[in-house]
Amino acid sequence: MMNEEVKPVKIQFDPNQDYQRDAVDAVCGVFEGLSKRETVDFSLDIDCVPNCETSTVFEPYELLENVNNVRAKYFPPEKARLSQLAEKNSGDMIKGFDFHEYDEFTINMETGTGKTYVYLKTIYSLHEEYGFTKFIIIVPSIAIYEGVLNTFNATKKHFENMFSVGTVPYKITEYDGKHPEICKNYASATTNSIMLMTIDSFNKDSNNIYKSMDKLPGSDLLPINYIQMTRPILILDESQNYNSGASPAALRTLRPLCAIRYSATPGNNSPNELYRLNSFDSLQKNLVKRIEIYGTDEVQSGVAQEDYIKVVSVSNVSKKLKCVLEVQVMTNNALKLEQKEFSVGEPGQLKKATKNPAYKDIFIEDIRCVAKDGDKNKECVVLSNGLPYAVNETSCASLTKKEVFREMIKNTLEAHLNQKKKLQ
């Protein structure tokens, strides 16, 4: 029997994922008011097309205003406004170079939600809106390096259909320490250019990027000098890896205009955070890839539970946040479902309002309500167990976050195994 020809698999990308669009818009919003750079300038001494002039700096008060405008869209009102920008990444560079400082901005997204797709789309959007042409993606390992290349190639046609001609580069510039001329070619390119580097390729003064090379005849410049003159925008993939050791100095040595940090596990270091999609958000939206996520059985079994709760609505009238919950109220020694209005409260709030001891110390920690023209999917009530519940969502109020995730993992594994059996 003849073998059938195996057809290549085509991956379909959805350009309308709201959470990805929000993450892109958040970064673009930082540069609101900046004129698009249309013309290409050439230095008298060498060919170099930078993002901006060497001396260009952003006005702190303008940046702060833009950052706060962005945060107002994606964070609760009481947490949205920053009183000042985070401290710049400032200090010495790798041995032999001077002081530099630059602003950092943070996008936190759970693993599996398409961070690479998002920052590639961000690069293309920044080019189209503001004319930036020099970007460098920094990765912590070869494995992630290869993953970025694969995503770039897989999404190339998809993004070419979304953006104007010339916005998506023909290919990524892969930095190679054995070929320093790559840096010169990158600096002189007049089109949108993306360089891909591992942090290990420039975090030691022994790296080739800091050495005079015979492959750059007629030039007194080092490979690093060509990169520095472009004032690149850094895209820091898995940015938590660059907070210590030689990494901060190495990043400063590139003399970036600014850096956009992307991470799923940022710890306590999220300077100028613009957007956040945490693990619970991604589970609720069914965004985590590789294995299908199922919710708990609360929706089906909640009514039978003494601590049943349902979010009916949220509102913001005269700046007073309120929510209506369907809860189990104790009346004449019997439980009855009733709808009650609540605001943010203190421990024991639900128990006191319902006379139902099953609610224990549970209270409403936060109420999130969006403007009329906002995304209603972001409206929710956060209980003191740390879990957010959207409008029309039901639950058992006494469940802890750990218990919910344990149940989700259990259901996920069961579903995965059942699906595997079907395919056998």
Side-chain angles (χ1 to χ4, degrees), residues 221-238:
L221 298 175
L222 305 177
I224 186 65
N225 296 142
Y226 287 99
I227 291 179
Q228 290 173 331
M229 286 185 292
T230 67
R231 298 300 307 280
I233 293 176
L234 303 186
I235 304 295
L236 306 182
D237 196 334
E238 301 294 342

Side-chain angles (χ1 to χ4, degrees), residues 79-102:
K79 298 179 181 179
R81 191 160 188 83
L82 300 178
S83 59
Q84 61 183 19
L85 291 173
E87 187 175 343
K88 295 175 184 285
N89 183 336
S90 62
D92 295 334
M93 305 188 209
I94 295 296
K95 182 179 177 181
F97 294 87
D98 298 325
F99 175 92
H100 185 64
E101 63 179 11
Y102 63 92

Side-chain angles (χ1 to χ4, degrees), residues 83 135 171 221 230 272 317 362 410:
S83 59
F135 300 88
K171 64 178 181 179
L221 298 175
T230 67
N272 301 318
V317 180
I362 291 295
K410 175 185 174 183

Side-chain angles (χ1 to χ4, degrees), residues 142-358:
I142 294 298
I144 296 179
Y145 185 102
E146 295 297 332
V148 173
L149 286 177
N150 289 338
T151 302
F152 172 82
N153 291 325
T155 59
K156 191 169 185 291
K157 181 63 68 175
H158 166 74
F159 283 130
E160 285 176 342
N161 291 331
M162 290 177 60
F163 293 95
S164 59
V165 175
T167 297
V168 181
Y170 174 71
K171 64 178 181 179
I172 278 185
T173 300
E174 298 182 57
Y175 173 75
D176 184 345
K178 296 179 181 179
H179 296 280
E181 68 275 10
I182 289 174
C183 296
K184 184 176 182 180
N185 295 338
Y186 168 79
S188 63
T190 59
T191 56
N192 195 21
S193 303
I194 305 171
M195 180 177 282
L196 179 60
M197 307 177 76
T198 63
I199 188 69
D200 288 338
S201 66
F202 64 99
N203 64 358
K204 299 176 288 293
D205 59 6
S206 60
N207 291 127
N208 286 341
I209 199 168
Y210 303 117
K211 297 178 180 178
S212 178
M213 305 290 284
D214 294 336
K215 293 184 179 181
L216 290 174
S219 174
D220 295 329
L221 298 175
L222 305 177
I224 186 65
N225 296 142
Y226 287 99
I227 291 179
Q228 290 173 331
M229 286 185 292
T230 67
R231 298 300 307 280
I233 293 176
L234 303 186
I235 304 295
L236 306 182
D237 196 334
E238 301 294 342
S239 58
Q240 73 278 2
N241 291 283
Y242 317 125
N243 295 332
S244 59
S247 295
L251 295 174
R252 291 192 291 268
T253 307
L254 299 177
R255 287 191 180 276
L257 181 64
C258 64
I260 316 298
R261 300 167 60 95
Y262 290 84
S263 178
T265 54
N268 295 322
N269 193 15
S270 296
N272 301 318
E273 187 177 22
L274 303 174
Y275 180 80
R276 181 192 307 163
L277 182 74
N278 60 30
S279 57
F280 192 82
D281 294 332
S282 61
L283 283 171
Q284 281 194 319
K285 292 174 179 288
N286 290 328
L287 301 177
V288 178
K289 59 189 176 184
R290 302 184 191 282
I291 194 166
E292 190 172 3
I293 299 297
Y294 283 75
T296 67
D297 290 333
E298 296 165 9
V299 174
Q300 287 76 25
S301 63
V303 176
Q305 301 297 321
E306 293 180 342
D307 59 342
Y308 165 86
I309 188 172
K310 177 182 179 180
V311 179
V312 178
S313 65
V314 298
S315 62
N316 185 359
V317 180
S318 300
K319 296 185 178 180
K320 292 183 179 180
L321 291 168
K322 300 282 187 180
C323 69
V324 175
L325 305 181
E326 188 175 60
V327 290
Q328 294 273 38
V329 177
M330 183 69 73
T331 306
N332 297 326
N333 294 320
L335 291 176
K336 180 182 178 182
L337 282 177
E338 293 184 13
Q339 292 186 3
K340 285 183 171 291
E341 186 178 71
F342 295 91
S343 56
V344 173
E346 298 177 347
Q349 178 188 24
L350 267 63
K351 177 181 176 182
K352 182 178 179 180
T354 63
K355 310 299 182 184
N356 181 357

Side-chain angles (χ1 to χ4, degrees), residues 116-124 137 151-152 155 159 194:
T116 309
Y117 177 98
V118 165
Y119 67 62
L120 286 173
K121 186 175 180 180
T122 299
I123 287 172
Y124 305 145
I137 299 172
T151 302
F152 172 82
T155 59
F159 283 130
I194 305 171

